[in-house]
């Protein structure tokens, strides 16, 4: 049996944080991605510009730099606002940027930009006649989106979604720089303390792999569900 | 009957795409039970006219009255738009369209296609919608295909399914845009048969078609469009058997 030198429970906690962080970031990224895709496809040029600026910045700046900018910059920004509230109105509050939330927001923001591209491509791949039939039968925008556009788009989006998720999962390892004790950080502390880096890093690698293969299975099932009705012979 | 509203009245519809005026003032009145066929060369504006009727295209000028209800428009910086989208949604639910390319929703079974708008647009209880849908599928000869997806059906089956989907709305008027043009010749007959039955039972229909036999046998009125104008209109016996304009004569002449 592998000797974890008592780090087992902390490692498990770290793994849980990694998973929670990844899943919540994914949810945020999907929402942002849908919004970005809609903005880029809209005829409103302000929305279009904002969305383009967002994706350009995110794609051009390294994730690690973005993370530090948002975390430390975010704290400074919030402090400025609370200071102003104190000076002007005598309201005394102190908000500490929570590392976990900062992590979710940063990773969500980064991957929202990538998801935006994925969704945009997927939305454009939906046959216009399908949408038109919805409109012709009295569906409003929301109904067309919910009943036709979204389910048909998903078929095209899942490969990209799955890809982004795999990268996102690995990106969570970066959050240790803002002080979050995810499993990578626990493992690196344990490695230093016990001088057995190999043991702990192998465990971390295996856990990542496990999550990745599980997700791959999940995405394959999802793909199957959204492929229903397409191109199968009778 | 004076107190039943006219299903569809269209007055002086004009439509331009960029600099070209595609519809140059078209009008039409569909009384209950009318079958109006629109014929004309490719590019003469038949589809655009039909699409203006349910506002898939926005006419630049003209009036629409659906079942006695006048559609309201407003001028915006981008041109004329419907003033009340709720009204548009309501009127579209009264005008069912059958498309050249069928456009059945690919991710739904045939039965799901047929109940989709009745349940989600009209708010019909699902059970009721399913029962109605099964009757309609029976009528178009597709009972056995209720659980098939569109991709698993032939073009003819898809188009008959699309007609069932249209009927499920209990529409005031059915709009057909070349419903048989995308079909293999041997599948055209089944679809036309269903449409003849609909005409016989008194459905109000506006049909863009190149099927002259159908137009002759079934229509109450034939309208020949040329470059966005009505060149000739009237009873099929007059328009198709005794065309006056040279162009229509040419158009009707058998092509070899
Ligand atoms: N969305 C569009 N944008 C620009 N031009 C269009 C559009 N739709 C149709 N047209 C043009 O309008 C004319 C009439 O087209 P259409 O109504 O499709 O004719 P038909 O159905 O009689 O073949 C054609 O010249 C066509 O190229
Ligand atoms: Mg056409």
């Amino acid at each position: 049996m592998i000797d974890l030198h008592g780090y087992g429970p902390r490692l498990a906690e770290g793994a849980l944080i990694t998973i929670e962080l990844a899943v919540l970031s994914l949810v945020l990224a999907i929402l942002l991605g849908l919004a970005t895709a809609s903005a880029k496809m809209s005829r409103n040029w302000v929305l279009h510009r904002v969305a383009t600026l967002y994706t350009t910045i995110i794609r051009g700046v390294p994730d690690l730099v973005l993370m530090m900018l948002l975390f430390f910059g975010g704290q400074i920004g919030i402090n400025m606002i609370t200071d102003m509230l104190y000076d002007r109105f005598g309201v005394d509050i102190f908000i500490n940027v929570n590392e976990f939330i900062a992590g979710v927001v940063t990773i969500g923001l980064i991957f929202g930009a990538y998801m935006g591209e994925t969704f945009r491509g997927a939305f454009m791949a939906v046959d216009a006649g399908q949408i038109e039939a919805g409109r012709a039968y009295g569906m409003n925008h929301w109904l067309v989106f919910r009943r036709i556009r979204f389910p048909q788009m998903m078929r095209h989006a899942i490969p990209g979604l799955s890809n982004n998720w795999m990268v996102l999962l690995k990106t969570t390892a970066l959050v240790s720089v803002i002080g979050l004790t995810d499993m990578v950080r626990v493992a690196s502390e344990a490695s230093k303390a016990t001088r057995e880096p190999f043991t702990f890093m192998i465990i971390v690698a295996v856990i990542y792999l496990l999550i990745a293969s599980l997700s791959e299975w999940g995405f394959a099932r999802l793909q199957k569900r959204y492929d229903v009705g397409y191109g199968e012979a009778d | 009957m004076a107190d039943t509203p006219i299903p569809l009245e269209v007055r002086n519809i004009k439509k331009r795409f960029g600099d070209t005026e595609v519809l140059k003032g078209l009008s039409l009145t569909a009384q209950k039970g009318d079958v109006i066929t629109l014929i004309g060369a490719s590019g003469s504006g038949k589809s655009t006219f039909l699409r203006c009727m349910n506002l898939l295209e926005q006419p630049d000028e003209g009036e629409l009255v659906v079942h006695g209800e006048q559609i309201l428009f407003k001028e915006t910086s981008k041109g004329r738009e419907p003033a009340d989208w709720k009204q548009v949604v309501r009127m579209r639910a009264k005008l069912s369209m059958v498309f050249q390319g069928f456009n059945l929703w690919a991710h739904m079974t045939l039965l799901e296609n047929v109940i989709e708008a009745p349940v989600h647009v009209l708010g019909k209880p699902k059970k009721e919608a399913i029962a109605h849908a099964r009757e309609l599928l029976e009528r178009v000869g597709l009972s056995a295909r209720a659980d098939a997806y569109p991709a698993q059906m032939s073009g003819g089956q898809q188009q008959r399914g699309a007609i069932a989907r249209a009927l499920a709305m209990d529409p005031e008027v059915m709009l057909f845009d070349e419903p048989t043009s995308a079909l293999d010749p041997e599948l055209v007959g089944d679809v036309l048969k269903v449409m003849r039955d609909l005409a016989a039972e008194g459905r109000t229909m506006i049909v863009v078609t190149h099927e002259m036999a159908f137009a002759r046998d079934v229509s109450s009125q034939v309208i020949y469009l040329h470059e966005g104008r009505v060149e000739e209109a009237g009873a099929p016996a007059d328009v198709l058997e005794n065309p006056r304009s040279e162009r229509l004569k040419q158009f009707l002449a058998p092509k070899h």
Side-chain angles (χ1 to χ4, degrees):
Chain A
M1 208 33 217
I2 312 162
D3 182 9
L4 293 178
H5 302 280
Y7 276 99
R10 285 196 57 206
L11 214 50
E13 266 170 52
L16 201 63
I17 288 192
T18 296
I19 293 170
E20 285 172 355
L21 183 70
V23 169
L24 287 176
S25 308
L26 177 73
V27 171
L28 180 63
I30 286 176
L31 294 176
L32 278 172
L34 286 171
T36 309
S38 312
K40 282 201 173 178
M41 292 184 301
S42 100
R43 273 170 291 178
N44 182 321
W45 69 269
V46 179
L47 285 179
H48 199 277
R49 287 274 173 87
V50 171
T52 310
L53 187 69
Y54 164 54
T55 46
T56 309
I57 291 176
I58 298 287
R59 289 205 281 192
V61 181
D63 296 353
L64 188 58
V65 176
L66 273 175
M67 194 169 289
M68 297 210 268
L69 258 178
L70 278 162
F71 181 64
F72 299 114
Q75 181 67 68
I76 293 167
I78 288 171
N79 288 350
M80 272 160 63
I81 293 170
T82 50
D83 284 354
M84 188 206 71
L85 284 178
Y86 182 71
D87 289 343
R88 292 261 182 94
F89 309 106
V91 189
D92 193 6
I93 38 176
F94 179 73
I95 300 171
N96 203 352
V97 172
N98 174 305
E99 291 93 354
F100 184 77
I101 293 175
V104 169
V105 169
T106 314
I107 297 176
L109 268 174
I110 294 170
F111 283 88
Y114 297 117
M115 295 289 188
E117 290 308 299
T118 301
F119 283 131
R120 192 168 67 112
F123 274 118
M124 304 228 287
V126 176
D127 172 35
Q130 299 278 306
I131 308 298
E132 188 147 87
R135 292 206 291 138
Y137 278 85
M139 293 187 185
N140 59 26
H141 276 299
W142 168 238
L143 210 51
V144 167
F145 179 82
R146 193 163 65 80
R147 301 292 305 169
I148 301 166
R149 223 186 259 278
F150 185 81
Q152 295 205 3
M153 170 283 288
M154 281 303 279
R155 190 169 83 88
H156 303 286
I158 286 168
L161 266 176
S162 158
N163 237 336
N164 283 336
W165 161 251
M166 297 298 176
V167 182
L168 182 155
L169 183 63
K170 292 189 278 185
T171 303
T172 58
L174 292 183
V175 294
S176 51
V177 301
I178 59 174
L180 200 56
T181 13
D182 72 322
M183 72 175 162
V184 176
R185 191 181 170 108
V186 175
S188 94
E189 282 171 12
S191 308
K192 280 179 205 146
T194 62
R195 294 169 191 274
E196 284 178 30
F198 199 67
T199 314
F200 290 99
M201 288 308 159
I202 282 281
I203 290 171
V204 166
V206 167
I207 296 175
Y208 270 118
L209 261 176
L210 213 67
I211 303 173
S213 351
L214 249 163
S215 338
E216 209 152 330
W217 174 81
F219 277 111
R221 293 202 39 163
L222 211 59
Q223 183 77 62
K224 221 171 165 178
R225 164 162 154 29
Y226 282 108
D227 273 347
V228 150
Y230 286 88
E232 345 159 29
D234 201 6
Chain B
M1 280 178 288
D3 52 355
T4 40
I6 295 171
L8 178 65
E9 281 182 273
V10 180
R11 291 191 211 108
N12 196 32
I13 294 284
K14 293 187 181 167
K15 173 71 183 171
R16 47 172 63 251
F17 289 115
D19 289 337
T20 38
E21 189 164 46
V22 177
L23 305 181
K24 297 164 181 155
L26 295 176
S27 303
L28 156 165
T29 300
Q31 302 281 358
K32 195 148 182 50
D34 276 355
V35 176
I36 299 177
T37 43
L38 298 171
I39 60 173
S42 170
S44 56
K46 306 179 298 292
S47 297
T48 306
F49 187 30
L50 207 64
R51 291 160 55 79
C52 280
M53 293 180 201
N54 66 359
L55 297 176
L56 285 178
E57 297 288 356
Q58 301 307 319
D60 300 319
E61 276 179 53
E63 289 177 60
L64 285 169
V65 185
V66 179
H67 198 61
E69 185 175 344
Q70 170 113 27
I71 306 302
L72 306 171
F73 292 97
K74 63 170 188 229
E75 291 298 333
T76 71
S77 53
K78 285 180 227 138
R80 204 165 76 143
E81 275 181 16
D84 177 4
W85 279 101
K86 288 216 174 92
Q87 185 187 40
V88 173
V89 163
R90 194 162 64 229
M91 69 87 96
R92 281 180 180 157
K94 290 181 182 149
L95 308 173
S96 294
M97 190 169 236
V98 175
F99 300 87
Q100 182 173 352
F102 330 129
N103 295 1
L104 285 174
W105 295 301
H107 61 302
M108 300 180 193
T109 64
L110 179 56
L111 187 76
E112 286 166 348
N113 264 279
V114 177
I115 66 169
E116 177 66 19
V119 171
H120 289 99
V121 176
L122 303 179
K124 203 170 181 178
K126 199 163 172 184
K127 252 191 168 159
E128 216 175 282
I130 290 176
H132 189 205
R134 291 208 185 277
E135 274 169 41
L136 294 171
L137 290 180
E138 171 102 54
R139 279 198 50 185
V140 299
L142 289 177
S143 292
R145 306 297 278 147
D147 297 321
Y149 287 92
Q152 300 168 323
M153 303 192 286
S154 73
Q157 291 178 336
Q158 288 188 56
Q159 195 59 303
R160 282 182 283 142
I163 293 174
R165 172 173 72 172
L167 286 168
M169 297 297 279
D170 286 322
E172 284 296 317
V173 182
M174 297 178 78
L175 309 173
F176 294 82
D177 192 359
E178 301 201 33
T180 57
S181 297
L183 298 177
D184 294 337
E186 73 269 22
L187 301 175
V188 169
D190 288 344
V191 172
L192 288 181
K193 163 98 178 42
V194 169
M195 291 174 63
R196 281 172 188 267
D197 291 347
L198 292 176
E201 74 178 39
R203 290 271 170 191
T204 313
M205 297 156 66
I206 300 175
V207 185
V208 174
T209 187
H210 291 293
E211 298 289 336
M212 290 307 153
F214 174 86
R216 189 183 55 234
D217 300 347
V218 177
S219 325
S220 42
Q221 193 189 5
V222 177
I223 298 177
Y224 171 61
L225 290 188
H226 176 73
E227 292 179 358
R229 279 203 182 83
V230 176
E231 176 120 338
E232 234 175 289
D238 298 327
V239 175
L240 299 178
E241 310 293 335
N242 299 301
R244 277 170 288 131
S245 90
E246 267 319 303
R247 247 190 230 110
L248 179 53
K249 279 180 198 165
Q250 286 261 321
F251 178 76
L252 293 172
K255 290 155 196 92
H256 295 290

